[in-house]
């Protein structure tokens, strides 16, 4: 009885169709893969047998794996899938990846998960030729998992001391210096930093010097060091500069601003580690009728399109996000045994959110 049940639940295979149609396995395979070389009446007989048996056609996974190339890129993050659509930085990078894939007809597979167990499975099961890794949070784990697949991958970050990790990124410390130098040049001396996370524990709030020192995210650490390099040069006591750690979202940015502007001497200049943080700050300040840049200046970091049309337009450190995505995708699609480790240029774009003290 058990053997009979197993037989009835076994998936219909191409061999079953060939047998039912009275043709060879090779002929049945050609009907689905190279129909132009099979006579019409034979094709019709094979299709009729397939329909009667409920056979939908060959599994494309098997064909792709036999060919040794899928012609698709996996784009991976430890963030929820919504990150690719909600985060302005991710959207622009994805536009560059899409352009490179469109040019070659390649596909894109978005790989993410709400927890580490699902992330490991998603990385291992993704049918792709290689990965582009968004190293925002959980970057080290992503690199570990992609290495286990033994497929080429490029990290969009320089968060790893290991020089064998292929990466396309920017000099975060140098970019932060551009932002701080602009504000000190305008006469500002009372600063606050709205930071990206220092660790993956989802903690927010005023970040102690010890927490900053132990940061597991190189980008966050280096941007803070870049700010403080310049502030110290201009006589600012960086030990007294408040650093509020956010989760790069509106809720925690607003909590940070509530805290900073409740202090006896609130800042006259905000250094935001991302444009997403900076744009949320502009909304908060506008709601409270705190003039920007009359009362306070704000500088972001990324160069997302929304910054050019915000009220006021956002001064920011621009990184070539779309080009980073294009180069990462090309590196996977044209993989020839070597992968890049490139530092992309940065530019300070001055707009209406900054002004003299």
């Amino acid at each position: 009885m058990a053997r009979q049940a197993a037989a009835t639940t076994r998936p219909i295979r191409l061999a079953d169709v060939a047998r039912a149609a009275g043709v060879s396995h090779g002929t049945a395979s050609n009907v689905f893969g190279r129909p132009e070389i099979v006579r019409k009446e034979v094709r019709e007989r094979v299709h009729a047998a397939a329909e009667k048996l409920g056979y939908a056609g060959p599994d494309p996974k098997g064909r792709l794996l036999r060919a040794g190339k899928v012609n698709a890129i996996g784009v991976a993050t430890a963030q929820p899938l919504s990150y690719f659509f909600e985060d302005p930085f991710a959207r622009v990078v994805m536009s560059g990846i899409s352009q490179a894939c469109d040019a070659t007809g390649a596909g894109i597979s978005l790989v993410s998960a709400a927890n580490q167990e699902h992330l490991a499975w998603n990385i291992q099961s993704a049918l792709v030729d290689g990965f582009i890794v968004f190293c925002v949070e959980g970057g080290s784990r992503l690199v570990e998992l992609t290495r286990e697949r033994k497929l080429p991958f490029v990290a969009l970050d320089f968060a790893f001391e290991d020089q064998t990790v292929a990466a396309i990124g920017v000099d975060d410390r140098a970019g932060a210096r551009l932002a701080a130098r602009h504000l000190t040049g305008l006469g500002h001396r009372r600063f606050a930093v709205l930071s990206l996370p220092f660790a993956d524990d989802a903690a927010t709030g005023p970040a102690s010097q010890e927490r900053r020192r132990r940061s597991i995210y190189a980008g966050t650490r280096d941007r803070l060091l870049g700010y403080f390099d310049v502030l110290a040069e201009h006589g600012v006591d960086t030990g007294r500069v408040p650093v509020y750690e956010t989760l790069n979202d509106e809720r925690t940015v607003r909590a940070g601003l509530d805290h900073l502007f409740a202090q006896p001497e609130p800042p006259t200049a905000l250094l935001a580690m991302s444009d997403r943080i900076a744009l949320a700050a502009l909304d908060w300040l506008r709601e409270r009728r705190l003039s920007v840049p009359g009362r306070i200046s704000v500088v972001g970091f990324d160069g997302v399109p929304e910054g050019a049309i915000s009220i006021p337009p956002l001064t920011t450190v621009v990184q070539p996000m779309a080009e980073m995505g294009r180069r990462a995708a090309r590196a996977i699609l044209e993989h020839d045994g070597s992968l890049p480790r490139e530092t992309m240029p940065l530019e300070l774009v001055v707009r209406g959110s900054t002004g003299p003290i």
Side-chain angles (χ1 to χ4, degrees), residues 188-205:
H188 292 276
R189 294 298 181 269
R190 291 210 315 270
F191 293 87
V193 177
L194 289 169
S195 85
L196 293 166
F198 289 101
D200 57 3
D201 54 8
T204 65

Side-chain angles (χ1 to χ4, degrees), residues 56-57 88 94 99 135 170 175 182 217 219 225 237 286-287 304 330:
M94 285 301 302
Q99 289 166 13
C135 293
V170 298
H182 172 63
Y217 296 124
L225 289 173
D237 181 359
R286 185 170 59 255
E287 290 168 8
V304 303
R330 289 171 186 154

Side-chain angles (χ1 to χ4, degrees), residues 233-297:
E233 290 172 4
H234 287 80
V236 176
D237 181 359
T238 57
R240 297 174 60 85
V241 174
V243 178
Y244 193 97
E245 184 175 2
T246 78
L247 297 179
N248 197 32
D249 63 9
E250 185 174 354
R251 178 184 62 83
T252 56
V253 170
R254 286 176 171 270
L257 292 165
D258 288 339
H259 170 80
L260 294 171
F261 282 84
Q263 304 307 306
E265 289 192 334
T268 67
L270 283 174
L271 290 157
M273 285 196 189
S274 77
D275 283 353
R276 191 176 188 183
I277 292 173
L279 293 169
L282 290 181
D283 288 342
W284 187 94
L285 293 164
R286 185 170 59 255
E287 290 168 8
R288 286 153 183 79
R289 301 185 183 279
L290 294 172
S291 173
V292 179
R295 169 63 181 80
I296 184 164
S297 289

Side-chain angles (χ1 to χ4, degrees), residues 56-78:
D59 184 354
K61 290 183 181 179
R63 184 171 64 251
L64 291 170
L65 290 173
R66 286 192 296 274
K69 189 172 178 62
V70 179
N71 201 31
I73 292 175
V75 185
T77 177

